[in-house]
Amino acid sequence: MSHDPYAAPPARSTPAATWAVLAHLGGILAYFYVGWVTALVVWLVHRGKDHGVAHQALVALNFQLTVLVALVAARILAEFPLIGFVGWIAMVAIGVASLVLSVLAAVAVSSGGTYRYPVTLELVR
């Protein structure tokens, strides 16, 4: 086993990174319409303390609110008799996309980077 003295040290988990990861992982609960709650709480707690955590929580909050709007629209579409199947498929697709993108964001933030979701309405500034 060799040791490279010039290799970068492994990223350490700091409390700030943990809070940013938690804000993004709230998206796991998006299918149950509560994915936005963790990002909102993290943003409200850290917006005056840590700019990096607050920014990542705001990015996560805007994405989760976008997902919430899309899920509500799909749920309304699912109530119509002839096109309800399309709404149900859309709800499943939105839930899976939110899950995958939230995990990708959490991994990116935990390694010390930032993440920007591909499709987001900027509802909170």
Side-chain angles (χ1 to χ4, degrees):
M1 198 193 278
S2 66
H3 175 69
D4 185 7
Y6 300 109
R12 293 187 180 147
S13 177
T14 63
T18 303
W19 282 107
V21 168
L22 181 66
H24 286 289
L25 284 181
I28 292 173
L29 302 173
Y31 192 75
F32 303 108
Y33 303 102
V34 293
W36 57 275
V37 174
T38 57
L40 177 65
V41 169
V42 171
W43 179 64
L44 289 175
V45 169
H46 289 279
R47 68 180 170 175
K49 297 177 186 177
D50 189 351
H51 179 69
V53 174
H55 176 69
Q56 285 301 308
L58 184 63
V59 168
L61 177 62
N62 280 323
F63 176 70
Q64 292 308 322
L65 288 176
T66 303
V67 168
L68 179 66
V69 168
L71 280 173
V72 168
R75 178 69 180 153
I76 290 170
L77 187 64
E79 294 299 319
F80 289 102
L82 296 177
I83 56 174
F85 183 71
V86 173
W88 182 80
I89 294 294
M91 285 178 54
V92 171
I94 293 166
V96 169
S98 174
L99 172 72
V100 169
L101 290 174
S102 296
V103 170
L104 287 175
V107 168
V109 170
S110 71
S111 66
T114 60
Y115 190 79
R116 191 79 176 159
Y117 291 95
V119 178
T120 302
L121 299 174
E122 195 168 330
L123 300 172
V124 181
R125 293 178 194 238

PDB file of all heavy atoms in Angstrom, residues 1-5 36 45-46 50 56-57 59 61 66-67 70-71 73 75 78 80-81 100 107 110:
ATOM      1  N   MET A   1       0.837  -1.154   0.000  1.00  0.00           N
ATOM      2  CA  MET A   1       0.000   0.000   0.000  1.00  0.00           C
ATOM      3  C   MET A   1       0.892   1.231   0.000  1.00  0.00           C
ATOM      4  O   MET A   1       1.766   1.376   0.829  1.00  0.00           O
ATOM      5  CB  MET A   1      -0.882  -0.028   1.242  1.00  0.00           C
ATOM      6  CG  MET A   1      -2.038   0.892   1.085  1.00  0.00           C
ATOM      7  SD  MET A   1      -2.941   1.234   2.573  1.00  0.00           S
ATOM      8  CE  MET A   1      -4.019  -0.070   2.830  1.00  0.00           C
ATOM      9  N   SER A   2       0.682   2.138  -0.957  1.00  0.00           N
ATOM     10  CA  SER A   2       1.530   3.320  -1.040  1.00  0.00           C
ATOM     11  C   SER A   2       0.775   4.539  -0.523  1.00  0.00           C
ATOM     12  O   SER A   2      -0.449   4.606  -0.551  1.00  0.00           O
ATOM     13  CB  SER A   2       1.976   3.542  -2.473  1.00  0.00           C
ATOM     14  OG  SER A   2       0.854   3.855  -3.266  1.00  0.00           O
ATOM     15  N   HIS A   3       1.538   5.505  -0.101  1.00  0.00           N
ATOM     16  CA  HIS A   3       0.973   6.737   0.426  1.00  0.00           C
ATOM     17  C   HIS A   3       1.460   7.893  -0.428  1.00  0.00           C
ATOM     18  O   HIS A   3       2.655   8.084  -0.610  1.00  0.00           O
ATOM     19  CB  HIS A   3       1.407   6.932   1.886  1.00  0.00           C
ATOM     20  CG  HIS A   3       0.966   8.252   2.455  1.00  0.00           C
ATOM     21  ND1 HIS A   3      -0.337   8.529   2.708  1.00  0.00           N
ATOM     22  CD2 HIS A   3       1.672   9.350   2.801  1.00  0.00           C
ATOM     23  CE1 HIS A   3      -0.427   9.761   3.192  1.00  0.00           C
ATOM     24  NE2 HIS A   3       0.789  10.282   3.257  1.00  0.00           N
ATOM     25  N   ASP A   4       0.551   8.663  -0.980  1.00  0.00           N
ATOM     26  CA  ASP A   4       0.906   9.808  -1.812  1.00  0.00           C
ATOM     27  C   ASP A   4       0.906  11.058  -0.946  1.00  0.00           C
ATOM     28  O   ASP A   4      -0.153  11.507  -0.509  1.00  0.00           O
ATOM     29  CB  ASP A   4      -0.094   9.943  -2.954  1.00  0.00           C
ATOM     30  CG  ASP A   4       0.280  11.048  -3.923  1.00  0.00           C
ATOM     31  OD1 ASP A   4       1.392  11.626  -3.789  1.00  0.00           O
ATOM     32  OD2 ASP A   4      -0.532  11.332  -4.815  1.00  0.00           O
ATOM     33  N   PRO A   5       2.071  11.645  -0.676  1.00  0.00           N
ATOM     34  CA  PRO A   5       2.111  12.810   0.208  1.00  0.00           C
ATOM     35  C   PRO A   5       1.510  14.060  -0.422  1.00  0.00           C
ATOM     36  O   PRO A   5       1.217  15.021   0.282  1.00  0.00           O
ATOM     37  CB  PRO A   5       3.609  13.002   0.474  1.00  0.00           C
ATOM     38  CG  PRO A   5       4.292  12.365  -0.676  1.00  0.00           C
ATOM     39  CD  PRO A   5       3.390  11.237  -1.113  1.00  0.00           C
ATOM     40  N   TRP A  36     -40.299  20.381   1.009  1.00  0.00           N
ATOM     41  CA  TRP A  36     -39.853  21.761   1.144  1.00  0.00           C
ATOM     42  C   TRP A  36     -39.626  22.177   2.591  1.00  0.00           C
ATOM     43  O   TRP A  36     -38.942  23.173   2.857  1.00  0.00           O
ATOM     44  CB  TRP A  36     -40.864  22.700   0.504  1.00  0.00           C
ATOM     45  CG  TRP A  36     -42.247  22.547   1.074  1.00  0.00           C
ATOM     46  CD1 TRP A  36     -43.181  21.653   0.681  1.00  0.00           C
ATOM     47  CD2 TRP A  36     -42.816  23.288   2.137  1.00  0.00           C
ATOM     48  NE1 TRP A  36     -44.311  21.784   1.445  1.00  0.00           N
ATOM     49  CE2 TRP A  36     -44.109  22.789   2.351  1.00  0.00           C
ATOM     50  CE3 TRP A  36     -42.368  24.319   2.936  1.00  0.00           C
ATOM     51  CZ2 TRP A  36     -44.952  23.294   3.328  1.00  0.00           C
ATOM     52  CZ3 TRP A  36     -43.210  24.822   3.911  1.00  0.00           C
ATOM     53  CH2 TRP A  36     -44.494  24.308   4.093  1.00  0.00           C
ATOM     54  N   VAL A  45     -32.980  29.151   9.636  1.00  0.00           N
ATOM     55  CA  VAL A  45     -32.024  29.103  10.745  1.00  0.00           C
ATOM     56  C   VAL A  45     -30.676  29.687  10.338  1.00  0.00           C
ATOM     57  O   VAL A  45     -30.042  30.407  11.113  1.00  0.00           O
ATOM     58  CB  VAL A  45     -31.864  27.651  11.249  1.00  0.00           C
ATOM     59  CG1 VAL A  45     -30.690  27.527  12.197  1.00  0.00           C
ATOM     60  CG2 VAL A  45     -33.139  27.186  11.925  1.00  0.00           C
ATOM     61  N   HIS A  46     -30.224  29.428   9.117  1.00  0.00           N
ATOM     62  CA  HIS A  46     -28.864  29.786   8.713  1.00  0.00           C
ATOM     63  C   HIS A  46     -28.748  31.023   7.830  1.00  0.00           C
ATOM     64  O   HIS A  46     -27.632  31.380   7.452  1.00  0.00           O
ATOM     65  CB  HIS A  46     -28.205  28.599   8.009  1.00  0.00           C
ATOM     66  CG  HIS A  46     -27.877  27.488   8.933  1.00  0.00           C
ATOM     67  ND1 HIS A  46     -26.759  27.487   9.712  1.00  0.00           N
ATOM     68  CD2 HIS A  46     -28.545  26.352   9.239  1.00  0.00           C
ATOM     69  CE1 HIS A  46     -26.734  26.399  10.446  1.00  0.00           C
ATOM     70  NE2 HIS A  46     -27.817  25.693  10.176  1.00  0.00           N
ATOM     71  N   ASP A  50     -24.621  31.633   8.207  1.00  0.00           N
ATOM     72  CA  ASP A  50     -23.675  31.074   7.246  1.00  0.00           C
ATOM     73  C   ASP A  50     -24.232  31.250   5.836  1.00  0.00           C
ATOM     74  O   ASP A  50     -25.243  30.631   5.475  1.00  0.00           O
ATOM     75  CB  ASP A  50     -23.439  29.594   7.552  1.00  0.00           C
ATOM     76  CG  ASP A  50     -22.317  28.989   6.738  1.00  0.00           C
ATOM     77  OD1 ASP A  50     -21.820  29.659   5.817  1.00  0.00           O
ATOM     78  OD2 ASP A  50     -21.934  27.846   7.038  1.00  0.00           O
ATOM     79  N   GLN A  56     -27.356  27.257  -0.284  1.00  0.00           N
ATOM     80  CA  GLN A  56     -27.712  25.900  -0.691  1.00  0.00           C
ATOM     81  C   GLN A  56     -29.127  25.540  -0.218  1.00  0.00           C
ATOM     82  O   GLN A  56     -29.868  24.866  -0.934  1.00  0.00           O
ATOM     83  CB  GLN A  56     -26.690  24.892  -0.173  1.00  0.00           C
ATOM     84  CG  GLN A  56     -25.397  24.908  -0.930  1.00  0.00           C
ATOM     85  CD  GLN A  56     -25.601  24.619  -2.411  1.00  0.00           C
ATOM     86  OE1 GLN A  56     -26.219  23.634  -2.807  1.00  0.00           O
ATOM     87  NE2 GLN A  56     -25.095  25.509  -3.244  1.00  0.00           N
ATOM     88  N   ALA A  57     -29.504  26.000   0.972  1.00  0.00           N
ATOM     89  CA  ALA A  57     -30.869  25.751   1.455  1.00  0.00           C
ATOM     90  C   ALA A  57     -31.882  26.491   0.595  1.00  0.00           C
ATOM     91  O   ALA A  57     -32.970  25.971   0.315  1.00  0.00           O
ATOM     92  CB  ALA A  57     -30.990  26.165   2.916  1.00  0.00           C
ATOM     93  N   VAL A  59     -31.491  27.247  -2.615  1.00  0.00           N
ATOM     94  CA  VAL A  59     -31.545  26.509  -3.881  1.00  0.00           C
ATOM     95  C   VAL A  59     -32.444  25.283  -3.719  1.00  0.00           C
ATOM     96  O   VAL A  59     -33.293  25.001  -4.567  1.00  0.00           O
ATOM     97  CB  VAL A  59     -30.121  26.111  -4.330  1.00  0.00           C
ATOM     98  CG1 VAL A  59     -30.150  25.099  -5.461  1.00  0.00           C
ATOM     99  CG2 VAL A  59     -29.325  27.338  -4.728  1.00  0.00           C
ATOM    100  N   LEU A  61     -34.794  24.850  -1.453  1.00  0.00           N
ATOM    101  CA  LEU A  61     -36.171  25.303  -1.203  1.00  0.00           C
ATOM    102  C   LEU A  61     -36.867  25.662  -2.508  1.00  0.00           C
ATOM    103  O   LEU A  61     -38.021  25.261  -2.736  1.00  0.00           O
ATOM    104  CB  LEU A  61     -36.169  26.495  -0.244  1.00  0.00           C
ATOM    105  CG  LEU A  61     -37.524  27.118   0.061  1.00  0.00           C
ATOM    106  CD1 LEU A  61     -38.442  26.107   0.743  1.00  0.00           C
ATOM    107  CD2 LEU A  61     -37.347  28.352   0.926  1.00  0.00           C
ATOM    108  N   THR A  66     -40.861  24.148  -6.522  1.00  0.00           N
ATOM    109  CA  THR A  66     -41.170  23.845  -7.918  1.00  0.00           C
ATOM    110  C   THR A  66     -41.754  22.438  -8.046  1.00  0.00           C
ATOM    111  O   THR A  66     -42.744  22.227  -8.756  1.00  0.00           O
ATOM    112  CB  THR A  66     -39.901  23.973  -8.785  1.00  0.00           C
ATOM    113  OG1 THR A  66     -39.368  25.288  -8.642  1.00  0.00           O
ATOM    114  CG2 THR A  66     -40.187  23.684 -10.242  1.00  0.00           C
ATOM    115  N   VAL A  67     -41.159  21.496  -7.334  1.00  0.00           N
ATOM    116  CA  VAL A  67     -41.665  20.122  -7.333  1.00  0.00           C
ATOM    117  C   VAL A  67     -43.069  20.080  -6.734  1.00  0.00           C
ATOM    118  O   VAL A  67     -43.947  19.375  -7.242  1.00  0.00           O
ATOM    119  CB  VAL A  67     -40.695  19.191  -6.574  1.00  0.00           C
ATOM    120  CG1 VAL A  67     -41.325  17.836  -6.302  1.00  0.00           C
ATOM    121  CG2 VAL A  67     -39.407  19.020  -7.353  1.00  0.00           C
ATOM    122  N   ALA A  70     -45.550  21.289  -9.280  1.00  0.00           N
ATOM    123  CA  ALA A  70     -45.727  20.270 -10.322  1.00  0.00           C
ATOM    124  C   ALA A  70     -46.544  19.081  -9.803  1.00  0.00           C
ATOM    125  O   ALA A  70     -47.395  18.547 -10.526  1.00  0.00           O
ATOM    126  CB  ALA A  70     -44.367  19.802 -10.827  1.00  0.00           C
ATOM    127  N   LEU A  71     -46.289  18.671  -8.556  1.00  0.00           N
ATOM    128  CA  LEU A  71     -47.063  17.559  -7.989  1.00  0.00           C
ATOM    129  C   LEU A  71     -48.529  17.913  -7.812  1.00  0.00           C
ATOM    130  O   LEU A  71     -49.414  17.081  -8.068  1.00  0.00           O
ATOM    131  CB  LEU A  71     -46.459  17.132  -6.655  1.00  0.00           C
ATOM    132  CG  LEU A  71     -45.236  16.241  -6.718  1.00  0.00           C
ATOM    133  CD1 LEU A  71     -44.650  16.049  -5.322  1.00  0.00           C
ATOM    134  CD2 LEU A  71     -45.559  14.905  -7.336  1.00  0.00           C
ATOM    135  N   ALA A  73     -50.205  20.118  -9.591  1.00  0.00           N
ATOM    136  CA  ALA A  73     -50.781  20.158 -10.935  1.00  0.00           C
ATOM    137  C   ALA A  73     -51.032  18.745 -11.459  1.00  0.00           C
ATOM    138  O   ALA A  73     -52.082  18.473 -12.061  1.00  0.00           O
ATOM    139  CB  ALA A  73     -49.860  20.922 -11.879  1.00  0.00           C
ATOM    140  N   ARG A  75     -51.547  16.097  -9.635  1.00  0.00           N
ATOM    141  CA  ARG A  75     -52.634  15.523  -8.831  1.00  0.00           C
ATOM    142  C   ARG A  75     -53.987  16.008  -9.335  1.00  0.00           C
ATOM    143  O   ARG A  75     -54.952  15.236  -9.405  1.00  0.00           O
ATOM    144  CB  ARG A  75     -52.439  15.904  -7.363  1.00  0.00           C
ATOM    145  CG  ARG A  75     -53.511  15.418  -6.455  1.00  0.00           C
ATOM    146  CD  ARG A  75     -53.461  13.927  -6.319  1.00  0.00           C
ATOM    147  NE  ARG A  75     -54.527  13.518  -5.425  1.00  0.00           N
ATOM    148  CZ  ARG A  75     -55.097  12.341  -5.455  1.00  0.00           C
ATOM    149  NH1 ARG A  75     -54.676  11.438  -6.296  1.00  0.00           N
ATOM    150  NH2 ARG A  75     -56.055  12.048  -4.633  1.00  0.00           N
ATOM    151  N   ALA A  78     -54.721  14.199 -12.444  1.00  0.00           N
ATOM    152  CA  ALA A  78     -55.071  12.803 -12.186  1.00  0.00           C
ATOM    153  C   ALA A  78     -56.539  12.622 -11.817  1.00  0.00           C
ATOM    154  O   ALA A  78     -57.065  11.514 -11.897  1.00  0.00           O
ATOM    155  CB  ALA A  78     -54.191  12.241 -11.077  1.00  0.00           C
ATOM    156  N   PHE A  80     -59.112  13.944 -13.406  1.00  0.00           N
ATOM    157  CA  PHE A  80     -59.985  13.927 -14.577  1.00  0.00           C
ATOM    158  C   PHE A  80     -60.106  12.507 -15.111  1.00  0.00           C
ATOM    159  O   PHE A  80     -59.118  11.771 -15.191  1.00  0.00           O
ATOM    160  CB  PHE A  80     -59.447  14.865 -15.668  1.00  0.00           C
ATOM    161  CG  PHE A  80     -59.593  16.319 -15.312  1.00  0.00           C
ATOM    162  CD1 PHE A  80     -58.505  17.048 -14.858  1.00  0.00           C
ATOM    163  CD2 PHE A  80     -60.825  16.939 -15.408  1.00  0.00           C
ATOM    164  CE1 PHE A  80     -58.635  18.374 -14.525  1.00  0.00           C
ATOM    165  CE2 PHE A  80     -60.968  18.266 -15.073  1.00  0.00           C
ATOM    166  CZ  PHE A  80     -59.872  18.994 -14.627  1.00  0.00           C
ATOM    167  N   PRO A  81     -61.308  12.106 -15.523  1.00  0.00           N
ATOM    168  CA  PRO A  81     -61.546  10.708 -15.898  1.00  0.00           C
ATOM    169  C   PRO A  81     -60.697  10.183 -17.064  1.00  0.00           C
ATOM    170  O   PRO A  81     -60.093   9.138 -16.958  1.00  0.00           O
ATOM    171  CB  PRO A  81     -63.025  10.690 -16.271  1.00  0.00           C
ATOM    172  CG  PRO A  81     -63.613  11.878 -15.643  1.00  0.00           C
ATOM    173  CD  PRO A  81     -62.532  12.890 -15.537  1.00  0.00           C
ATOM    174  N   VAL A 100     -33.944  11.503  -7.135  1.00  0.00           N
ATOM    175  CA  VAL A 100     -32.624  11.365  -7.761  1.00  0.00           C
ATOM    176  C   VAL A 100     -31.844  12.679  -7.697  1.00  0.00           C
ATOM    177  O   VAL A 100     -30.668  12.703  -7.312  1.00  0.00           O
ATOM    178  CB  VAL A 100     -32.771  10.874  -9.220  1.00  0.00           C
ATOM    179  CG1 VAL A 100     -31.460  10.981  -9.971  1.00  0.00           C
ATOM    180  CG2 VAL A 100     -33.292   9.454  -9.250  1.00  0.00           C
ATOM    181  N   VAL A 107     -24.902  14.693  -2.464  1.00  0.00           N
ATOM    182  CA  VAL A 107     -23.552  14.167  -2.676  1.00  0.00           C
ATOM    183  C   VAL A 107     -22.605  15.285  -3.102  1.00  0.00           C
ATOM    184  O   VAL A 107     -21.475  15.374  -2.622  1.00  0.00           O
ATOM    185  CB  VAL A 107     -23.575  13.017  -3.710  1.00  0.00           C
ATOM    186  CG1 VAL A 107     -22.175  12.646  -4.159  1.00  0.00           C
ATOM    187  CG2 VAL A 107     -24.301  11.814  -3.141  1.00  0.00           C
ATOM    188  N   SER A 110     -21.946  17.512  -0.060  1.00  0.00           N
ATOM    189  CA  SER A 110     -21.163  16.841   0.992  1.00  0.00           C
ATOM    190  C   SER A 110     -19.684  16.762   0.638  1.00  0.00           C
ATOM    191  O   SER A 110     -18.839  16.693   1.522  1.00  0.00           O
ATOM    192  CB  SER A 110     -21.706  15.441   1.264  1.00  0.00           C
ATOM    193  OG  SER A 110     -21.415  14.589   0.181  1.00  0.00           O
TER     194      SER A 110
END
